[in-house]
């Protein structure tokens, strides 16, 4: 099966498309690397992929942009935007022929950067300080007349606010980091991880890689490098650990190789040789030797005086120690008696607390019962008042209906009996006065209704207050 050249391409509008969503043929697809037109090949033999058109060459070097390059560049771009990555837990390096559990030195955590750099040369200067230099594709990196030693070119570098390196990140899609590069990381002494980007991952999945540790491994961890675990150190497993077999094959569980150690020692010797030939260093070394001789003589004199003082004070010190031991024994007995007294007081206090809790529980039950009875009484009174109001309204409606019927009868009688008109007008005046009387009665009834409604509102407020008391007791 042929090698897939690339599984993503640009569209004419600048968007991206995956080979799974593309249509076979040259349908407006362009290379992410060189911008030349591509053809989507989705046959039955080879894996689906984009390929440059045969007529697209112009005699220049063929485009070597691939899916691996795309994922590599996208991962670096996302890390520059996020400025955060999750690193795995740290375990102790496995001793030779060890098959037990390895202690966990640190949990998985997020590392955040104040500054993010990519594709920078990392080197040590003459003083052994870590420096960074931009990568020039046309100018090779050299030792600058022996003033710097190249330690590597990580894909991404995390720096803190003081521009100090806190994490080096290597991203790979096909080839892992070599042993030579790992040996340089041991010399540099900065935490470094390696993140694997699978071939089938889209941009969303690649972004999620930085929030989990399933595809992330340690290349170098300072805490692991400084910790020396022995098979007899079983007590350090109190904070958790993992079987050595489970960690086997992980970079986080790999010991420092002989090549890594040889590289670290070689770089250290190179730094020492650079410093030994300097006149100021030789003068400082002479001062150090003089100070060391003076310090040794002073130390011998102090030791002699200390021996004489110890010999004079030996008997007195032993007597004071015996007296102090006796006093400590007396204090121990007194503390034991106080502990017994405190235990009895604690039991008595527990008994009283239990009795008080029982009384409070009974009081809560009584209050709950009283509140329930008060609610029932208020509810029955409220229902009775509402029924009385409804009966009064019904009586008023019947009265008004009766008055209406009488008025209709009067009008009818007036129309039928003209001779009795005068008498009817007189009766009409009487009826008007009766109607006024009825209106006054209705107004009084309305006032009574308002009073009843106010009483109802007060009952509602009392009911709400009773419920608040019940909720506080509960």
């Amino acid at each position: 099966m042929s090698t897939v050249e690339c599984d993503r391409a640009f569209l004419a509008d600048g968007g991206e498309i995956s080979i799974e969503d593309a249509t076979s043929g040259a349908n407006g697809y362009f290379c992410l690397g060189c911008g030349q037109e591509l053809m989507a090949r989705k046959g039955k033999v080879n894996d689906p992929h984009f390929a440059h058109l045969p007529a697209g060459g112009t005699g220049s070097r063929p485009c070597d942009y691939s899916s691996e390059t795309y994922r590599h560049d996208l991962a670096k771009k996302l890390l520059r935007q996020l400025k955060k990555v999750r690193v795995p837990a740290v375990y102790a390096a496995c001793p030779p022929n060890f098959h037990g559990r390895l202690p966990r030195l640190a949990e998985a955590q997020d590392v955040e950067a104040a500054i993010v750099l990519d594709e920078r040369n990392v080197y040590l200067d003459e003083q052994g300080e870590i420096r960074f230099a931009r990568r020039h594709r046309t100018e090779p990196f050299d030792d600058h007349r022996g003033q710097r030693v190249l330690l590597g070119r990580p894909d991404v570098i995390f720096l803190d606010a003081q521009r100090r390196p806190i994490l080096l990140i290597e991203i790979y899609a096909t080839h892992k980091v070599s042993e030579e590069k790992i040996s340089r990381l041991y010399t540099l002494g900065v935490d470094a991880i390696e993140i694997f980007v699978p071939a089938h991952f889209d941009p969303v999945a690649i972004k999620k890689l930085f929030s989990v540790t399933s595809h992330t491994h340690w290349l170098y961890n300072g805490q692991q490098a400084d910790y020396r675990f022995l098979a007899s150190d079983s007590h350090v497993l109190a904070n958790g650990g993992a079987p050595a077999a489970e960690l086997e094959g992980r970079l986080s569980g790999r010991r420092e190789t002989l090549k890594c150690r040889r590289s670290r020692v070689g770089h250290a010797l190179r730094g020492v040789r650079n410093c030994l030939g300097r006149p100021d260093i030789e003068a400082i070394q002479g001062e150090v030797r003089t100070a060391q001789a003076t310090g040794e003589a002073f130390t011998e004199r102090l030791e002699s005086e200390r021996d004489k003082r110890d010999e004079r004070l030996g008997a007195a010190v032993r007597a004071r120690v015996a007296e102090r031991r006796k006093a400590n024994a007396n204090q121990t007995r007194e503390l034991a008696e106080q502990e017994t007294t405190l235990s009895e007081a604690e039991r008595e206090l527990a008994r009283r607390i239990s009795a008080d809790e029982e009384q409070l529980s009974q009081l809560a039950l009584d209050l709950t019962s009283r509140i329930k009875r008060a609610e029932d009484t208020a509810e029955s009174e409220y229902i009775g008042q509402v029924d009385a109001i409804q009966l009064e309204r019904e009586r008023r409606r019947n009265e008004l209906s009766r008055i209406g019927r009488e008025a209709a009868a009067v009008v009818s009688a007036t129309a039928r009996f003209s001779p009795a008109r005068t008498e009817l007008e007189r009766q009409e005046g009487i009826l008007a006065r009766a109607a006024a009387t009825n209106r006054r009665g209705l107004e009084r009834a309305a006032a009574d209704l308002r009073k009843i409604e106010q009483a109802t509102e007060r009952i509602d407020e009392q009911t709400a207050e009773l419920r608040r008391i019940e909720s506080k007791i509960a």
Side-chain angles (χ1 to χ4, degrees):
M1 189 174 294
S2 64
T3 302
V4 175
E5 181 177 299
C6 192
D7 57 8
R8 300 189 72 84
F10 277 135
L11 296 172
D13 58 2
E16 291 186 15
I17 187 172
S18 173
I19 187 63
E20 288 81 6
D21 301 326
T23 305
S24 294
N27 297 308
Y29 308 130
F30 301 91
C31 179
L32 298 174
C34 66
Q36 295 292 329
E37 189 173 4
L38 301 177
M39 173 184 293
R41 293 180 176 177
K42 304 180 71 173
K44 296 182 179 180
V45 179
N46 297 327
D47 291 336
H49 65 280
F50 290 105
H52 287 78
L53 295 177
T58 59
S60 60
R61 184 176 62 86
C63 177
D64 58 357
Y65 196 87
S66 64
S67 296
E68 179 181 355
T69 308
Y70 168 78
R71 296 196 304 275
H72 194 270
D73 293 343
L74 179 60
K76 290 192 297 183
K77 177 182 177 182
L78 292 173
L79 279 174
R80 289 196 302 269
Q81 295 173 353
L82 295 173
K83 292 186 177 182
K84 182 170 71 172
V85 66
R86 190 163 185 82
V87 298
V90 181
Y91 292 87
C94 184
N97 302 321
F98 180 74
H99 303 288
R101 297 178 64 85
L102 296 173
R104 183 169 58 245
L105 307 180
E107 299 287 350
Q109 59 182 323
D110 293 329
V111 176
E112 296 190 28
I115 305 171
V116 179
L117 304 177
D118 65 344
E119 294 294 339
R120 300 295 176 94
N121 293 318
V122 182
Y123 66 93
L124 294 179
D125 61 11
E126 290 181 293
Q127 286 74 37
E129 297 292 335
I130 300 175
R131 304 296 182 188
F132 306 100
R134 291 186 177 275
R135 179 185 179 187
H136 297 282
R137 300 187 183 276
T138 58
E139 299 179 7
F141 185 88
D142 57 21
D143 63 355
H144 208 68
R145 296 182 299 277
Q147 296 178 1
R148 57 190 184 186
V149 178
L150 176 66
L151 293 177
R153 188 181 298 114
D155 292 323
V156 179
I157 305 172
F158 275 15
L159 306 179
D160 60 13
Q162 289 73 37
R163 298 188 65 85
R164 292 174 302 194
I166 56 177
L167 185 66
L168 307 180
I169 303 175
E170 294 286 349
I171 301 169
Y172 84 92
T174 304
H175 304 292
K176 293 185 178 181
V177 176
S178 65
E179 288 292 334
E180 176 65 25
K181 198 167 189 177
I182 294 177
S183 68
R184 294 180 178 181
L185 293 175
Y186 271 83
T187 303
L188 189 60
V190 178
D191 289 352
I193 59 173
E194 182 181 53
I195 302 176
F196 170 58
V197 182
H200 62 280
F201 272 29
D202 58 10
V204 176
I206 293 175
K207 186 175 182 180
K208 289 182 179 179
L209 277 178
F210 307 130
S211 59
V212 297
T213 61
S214 55
H215 291 71
T216 304
H217 303 288
W218 285 107
L219 293 174
Y220 172 80
N221 180 270
Q223 188 175 3
Q224 183 192 68
D226 295 337
Y227 187 84
R228 291 295 177 263
F229 174 68
L230 302 176
S232 59
D233 296 338
S234 59
H235 62 281
V236 300
L237 294 172
N239 295 328
E246 181 180 327
L247 298 175
E248 186 177 359
R250 296 187 187 179
L251 292 172
S252 60
R254 183 170 57 191
R255 298 190 303 275
E256 180 182 10
T257 63
L258 181 59
K259 188 174 184 179
C260 295
R261 188 169 300 177
R262 186 186 301 114
S263 176
R264 192 201 308 215
V265 172
H267 285 293
L269 290 176
R270 187 182 301 109
V272 171
R273 284 196 298 270
N274 291 336
C275 294
L276 286 178
R278 295 172 53 179
D280 55 344
I281 297 297
E282 293 179 357
I284 293 174
Q285 288 177 344
E287 294 177 1
V288 169
R289 286 192 293 270
T290 302
Q292 184 177 4
T294 304
E296 290 176 353
F298 182 72
T299 301
E300 291 178 358
R301 187 171 65 255
L302 287 180
E303 289 178 350
S304 177
E305 294 177 357
R306 183 195 59 190
D307 294 339
K308 294 178 181 179
R309 186 177 61 254
D310 292 345
E311 186 176 351
R312 290 195 308 269
L313 299 178
V317 170
R318 286 192 295 272
R320 290 179 62 184
V321 168
E323 183 179 355
R324 180 59 60 85
R325 287 178 177 174
K326 183 177 180 181
N328 289 339
N330 294 333
Q331 290 180 358
T332 302
R333 286 195 299 272
E334 292 176 359
L335 289 175
E337 294 175 357
Q338 292 177 3
E339 184 177 1
T340 303
T341 304
L342 289 175
S343 299
E344 294 176 355
E346 184 179 358
R347 288 193 294 270
E348 179 63 20
L349 181 60
R351 185 187 64 77
R352 291 182 181 179
I353 291 174
S354 178
D356 291 342
E357 289 178 348
E358 185 176 356
Q359 292 179 359
L360 288 174
S361 178
Q362 185 63 36
L363 179 60
L365 291 175
D366 294 341
L367 288 175
T368 303
S369 177
R370 290 173 61 186
I371 291 172
K372 180 64 176 176
R373 290 196 299 271
E375 285 183 347
D376 294 341
T377 302
E379 185 176 0
S380 62
E381 292 178 356
Y382 172 74
I383 293 174
Q385 291 178 359
V386 171
D387 292 341
I389 291 170
Q390 291 178 350
L391 291 174
E392 181 64 21
R393 287 178 178 175
E394 185 66 26
R395 187 183 68 77
R396 297 296 182 185
R397 283 196 296 270
N398 293 335
E399 183 69 19
L400 291 173
S401 178
R402 183 183 63 77
I403 292 172
R405 288 194 300 272
E406 290 179 355
V410 169
V411 173
S412 178
T414 300
R416 288 196 305 268
F417 304 102
S418 297
R421 185 185 184 99
T422 303
E423 182 63 19
L424 288 175
E425 288 177 353
R426 186 181 63 81
Q427 292 180 359
E428 184 178 1
I430 296 171
L431 289 174
R433 288 191 296 274
T437 303
N438 288 334
R439 281 196 299 273
R440 287 192 295 272
L442 289 174
E443 290 175 355
R444 287 193 296 273
D448 294 339
L449 287 174
R450 286 194 294 272
K451 292 180 180 179
I452 292 172
E453 289 176 352
Q454 292 175 357
T456 303
E457 291 176 355
R458 288 194 297 272
I459 291 172
D460 292 338
E461 292 176 354
Q462 293 173 359
T463 303
E465 182 65 23
L466 289 173
R467 290 176 178 171
R468 285 196 296 272
I469 294 172
E470 181 182 4
S471 64
K472 290 180 180 179
I473 294 173

